[in-house]
Every structure is written in C-alpha cells, then in structure tokens.
Amino acid sequence: MTFGATGQAEPDRGEKGGLRTALAGLTTRGRSFFAAGVAAAICAYVLGQSDLLRVGLLLAALPLICATVLFRTRYRVAGSRRLSPARAPAGSEARVHLRVDNVSRLPTGLLMLQDRVPYVLGPRPRFVLDRVEPGGRREVSYRVRSDLRGRYPLGPLQLRLTDPFGMCELTRSFSTYDTLTVIPRVEPLPPVRLSGEARGYGDGRHRSLALAGEDDVIPRGYRYGDDLRRVHWRSTARYGELMVRREEQPQRARCTVLLDTRGLAFQGAGPDSAFEWAVSGTASVLVHMLERGFSVRLLTDTGNSVPGEGSDGFAGASQGTADAAGLMMDTLAVIDHSDGAGLSRAYDVLRGGNEGLLVAFFGDLDEEQAAIAGKMRQRSGGAVAFLLDSDSWVREPDDVSGPLDRSEERLRMLREAGWTALSVPRGASLEDLWRQAERERVGVGALGTGEGWS
C-alpha cells in the first residue's frame, strides 16, 4: 500500500496574528523569564541599579527573541500516513505508519509529532523526532483498535516546534486526514453445497443457453478471435455477414443476504447486542458465499441493494468481486437501524425474479411481518432464516417467561412457508447454526420435499 495524505505543515493561525501568536506560544519557562526580566527592570529603575537593568532586559528579551525566531521559522516538512489494513475487523488492531520528510535545504530542530485519533480508537499518539537533515525522513507507527464498527477519521497530523532553550512552543498542522473503516467481525463458515444451486463455476454449475432451443438457432455476428468452426453458414447467407453459433454461457449462482435493520425489531445496543450479531452474521455469509463463487448482493428491509450494479443488483463480473465485497463491508461498517416498520419493500425487490439462495437475518417478527417473510420464500431456490429474539438477548438467563412461545410460533410460520428457520440464542456461534441449518435441510430433503443441502 502506498503512502497517502501528503501535505505541508501550516501554522494554526495566520500571519496577521504575528506577535500575538508568538507570545501565545510561550512556555511556562518563557513566561517566567519574561516576568522576571520585567520585575528586575522595575527594581533597577527604582533602585537606580544599571547592572540589574541590563540583567532584566536580557531576561525579558530572551523569550521574545526565541518566540520571534521560532514563529518565523519556515520548515518545509511533508507528512504522510499509511493504514495497514485500511479495513480492520472490529476487535482487531490496525497499524498506522507516519512518515515525515524534510523537503527543505535546512535541517529541522527537535520536532514533537502528534496525530489526532477518536477517543474510541485509543489514546492520542505522541512522538519526539530528533533533528532531521535536509532531504531526510523519519518514520514512526502506532496501533489503534476498536470494538465498535464504523468509520473513524485519523488526523490531521500536528507538529509541535520548540526552540533550543524551551522558551516557546508552536503547533503547526497538516491539512489532510485518512479514514479507518472498522468492519464487522467475520466468522469463517464451513463449505456447504446446495442442491439445485450452482457452486460458482465448478462441478454441477448451471448453464443458461443464450438461444431459444439448440445452440445454433439464434446466431450472433462474428467477432475477432471466434472459432471459424462455429460459423453458421445458413445465417451468414441470410444476413449477408459472417455469423457464428452462440455457445452456452456459464451462469453464476446467486445468493441474496437479507438484513433486517428495523429499529422496532431489536433491543439493546453495544458490541454484544442482537443487532450487532446480525450484522456480523451478514458479513460472514457474504464473504463465505463470495469465496464459493456465488454472485452475491446485500439487501435490507428498506429495499436498498448493495452493490446494486445493473438491473438485478448483484455483484458484477469476477474481476469486480473484490470491489463488490469492499463496498458491502463498507456498507455494513456504518449501517444502523432504519425507521421502517415492515419488510414490504424488501419483499417487493425479492418477488421480481428467481433470487437463487436467500439467507435472512430477522429481528422480532409480529404475525404480519412473519407472513410477509414467508412469502419471500416463493421466489428463491432455497431459503435459510436466522431469527433473533432480542427479548432473550436482553433478558436475564434465569428469566424464561413470556416471549419464548411467540418466538416458537414465528419459527413455525417460517418453516411452514418453506424456510429453514433457526432461533438464535444469546451468544450463539454462527458456525454451529450454519451446520445445524445444513442438518435440518438434509432432514427436510429426506422427507421428500425434493430440496436439500448436499
């Protein structure tokens, strides 16, 4: 990764401040010297002591001279910052590398380097750099960590300049900053083959004929590099130009991951809340299906689809898989509760065509929303639902009253609609639930439904 956020340090205040800015940078030592000099000069005037007057003038003038020289110092310093990695999972560390280059012909003095970071990432890092020779550079680094996903600004970088006597200290800042993206935790999932679904481009893949029947019914125009053995002479004679037979086009299996973000569907907050578990589970499934070669998209209850390329909203070609994955992770890094009260918009998107596999993470569902969720199954080749009862996540473990019966009723409604539905207790492992879903799908297939996980 290359260095970025390069710029030159600029004074925090403009030149108009002049002497006022310089005097404001006086340290405690500088102010003490100035006060002692003024006091000595007054005493010398009252007592008529010329020697004491010279000492007073020297004490008062020294911090003023240091402040003026420091303020007029024009160091040409370039700073840069590199994040490794730029996207860090929640709970893991990222390292920030800082580089300072002296691009002037004069050496610098002692530099104190400070980078601004949000409080949630840790304490503000500070470094002391020795004299930097002309054309020289210094590199330092520090670590940041956050248990909360989000986007956090880093910078701007600040340089604190001081004179050799410690009389004055000024701060100059760079104008640029970087952004650290903390994405949800991703849990590795075991590979599961789905019957009736193509596994990327591997064995058992689907193929869609670009023709209406046999592969020589609807030819296309010749393109440079086409095999001449596929020239369709009948169409060539008919259209007066060289035509070739179309071949079968491999079709990537599709997977839609639905995340319920309704504010009414989740209770509690923080990294251990039900909503954060759902966001982390969504990220895990997205990464897992992309690694298996599926064409994947992220869908929310608001009807928004990511990455949203083309008319179907799925990720594009294989060369854009990394970009699509990054876009979905960036979306999940900042996703929050929606104001919507229902799943109707998501259902409107899903009923538009065959969506392949559908994996959903639902919060609390009332009877109406459970019915809408049940209808989503109709246009999918397979459907797996993880139902998070947020009441159980905020309730004490020994409190077993109330909402458990309602949760079981919602699971029954989803299963009757054809979903493989699982309840997610507090602190559950997605890997274990993923394997449990496979076992339940196999069991359903053994009963003669014709669908199953293989």
Side-chain angles (χ1 to χ4, degrees):
M1 189 178 296
T2 59
F3 282 92
T6 303
Q8 292 189 353
E10 299 177 354
D12 282 342
R13 302 173 184 175
E15 296 289 345
K16 296 180 179 180
L19 182 60
R20 182 184 303 175
T21 302
L23 293 178
L26 289 176
T27 62
T28 302
R29 178 184 300 178
R31 296 175 186 273
S32 300
F33 266 64
F34 182 77
V38 173
I42 295 176
C43 292
Y45 176 78
V46 173
L47 301 177
Q49 297 291 329
S50 59
D51 294 336
L52 183 59
L53 179 61
R54 296 188 187 95
V55 173
L57 292 178
L58 177 62
L59 293 176
L62 182 59
L64 298 180
I65 294 174
C66 291
T68 303
V69 172
L70 185 63
F71 180 76
R72 294 187 176 277
T73 299
R74 289 296 179 265
Y75 292 142
R76 296 183 59 197
V77 179
S80 57
R81 183 186 297 102
R82 175 169 60 92
L83 307 181
S84 178
R87 295 186 182 97
S92 65
E93 291 184 343
R95 183 168 289 274
V96 183
H97 301 268
L98 303 176
R99 190 177 76 183
V100 176
D101 296 87
N102 183 11
V103 296
S104 67
R105 298 181 180 179
L106 298 176
T108 69
L110 189 67
L111 301 178
M112 287 177 284
L113 195 64
Q114 176 177 276
D115 205 12
R116 293 182 179 178
V117 299
Y119 176 78
V120 70
L121 297 182
R124 181 171 296 183
R126 294 180 175 89
F127 306 93
V128 177
L129 303 182
D130 294 331
R131 174 181 176 273
V132 183
E133 65 279 3
R137 69 176 58 174
R138 296 291 185 271
E139 295 186 12
V140 293
S141 65
Y142 64 92
R143 294 177 296 180
V144 292
R145 181 181 183 274
S146 175
D147 292 327
L148 301 175
R149 57 186 176 82
R151 293 172 62 87
Y152 301 101
L154 300 177
L157 190 63
Q158 292 181 329
L159 287 178
R160 298 174 63 187
L161 310 177
T162 184
D163 66 281
F165 300 102
M167 299 289 181
C168 185
E169 189 176 272
L170 296 179
T171 300
R172 295 180 179 178
S173 298
F174 294 89
S175 58
T176 56
Y177 65 92
D178 282 306
T179 301
L180 174 67
T181 302
V182 180
I183 62 177
R185 294 184 180 92
V186 175
E187 184 175 351
L189 300 178
V192 175
R193 295 185 62 185
L194 310 177
S195 63
E197 294 294 339
R199 187 184 179 188
Y201 295 117
D203 295 337
R205 64 184 180 271
H206 282 181
R207 287 183 177 270
S208 61
L209 295 177
L211 325 165
E214 300 298 330
D215 83 330
D216 62 345
V217 176
I218 302 179
R220 60 170 174 81
Y222 174 82
R223 299 171 186 168
Y224 179 79
D226 285 338
D227 190 348
L228 293 179
R229 291 175 295 182
R230 297 198 60 83
V231 173
H232 193 256
W233 298 110
R234 185 182 304 174
S235 298
T236 299
R238 178 179 179 182
Y239 294 105
E241 59 177 317
L242 201 59
M243 307 292 289
V244 297
R245 296 188 299 271
R246 296 193 183 190
E247 296 180 342
E248 294 179 336
Q249 301 296 326
Q251 178 181 356
R252 302 184 75 187
R254 290 180 171 183
C255 176
T256 298
V257 183
L258 172 62
L259 175 61
D260 182 7
T261 64
R262 295 172 298 134
L264 299 176
F266 295 93
Q267 300 180 27
D272 297 328
S273 64
F275 181 69
E276 292 301 321
W277 192 98
V279 173
S280 177
T282 300
S284 302
V285 173
L286 287 171
V287 172
H288 174 72
M289 302 311 290
L290 282 172
E291 290 176 348
R292 294 191 59 202
F294 279 70
S295 182
V296 180
R297 72 171 173 181
L298 168 66
L299 181 66
T300 66
D301 58 288
T302 61
N304 294 328
S305 179
V306 181
E309 300 178 4
S311 59
D312 54 8
F314 286 85
S318 58
Q319 60 266 25
T321 299
D323 294 337
L327 179 58
M328 287 185 284
M329 290 299 105
D330 288 346
T331 301
L332 291 176
V334 297
I335 200 167
D336 202 353
H337 293 295
S338 68
D339 297 331
L343 301 171
S344 299
R345 294 182 181 177
Y347 171 67
D348 291 339
V349 175
L350 291 173
R351 69 179 180 179
N354 185 5
E355 303 301 329
L357 175 65
L358 175 61
V359 181
F361 292 84
F362 293 118
D364 294 333
L365 297 175
D366 55 25
E367 185 174 356
E368 178 184 358
Q369 300 307 316
I372 296 176
K375 292 189 293 183
M376 295 178 182
R377 170 67 178 85
Q378 299 172 0
R379 305 296 296 179
S380 302
V384 182
F386 298 96
L387 185 60
L388 289 90
D389 181 9
S390 60
D391 287 337
S392 66
W393 283 70
V394 298
R395 190 174 56 245
E396 294 298 328
D398 55 350
D399 185 2
V400 296
S401 61
L404 292 179
D405 293 339
R406 186 184 64 182
S407 177
E408 291 297 331
E409 176 63 20
R410 302 299 177 256
L411 287 172
R412 184 189 62 80
M413 293 178 62
L414 292 177
R415 288 166 180 166
E416 290 180 351
W419 287 83
T420 299
L422 297 93
S423 178
V424 181
R426 179 168 56 181
S429 168
L430 180 61
E431 179 181 358
D432 296 339
L433 293 173
W434 193 253
R435 295 185 184 277
Q436 180 183 347
E438 176 187 9
R439 292 192 295 268
E440 293 196 8
R441 291 282 294 181
V442 171
V444 172
L447 295 177
T449 62
E451 297 179 1
W453 296 44
S454 58

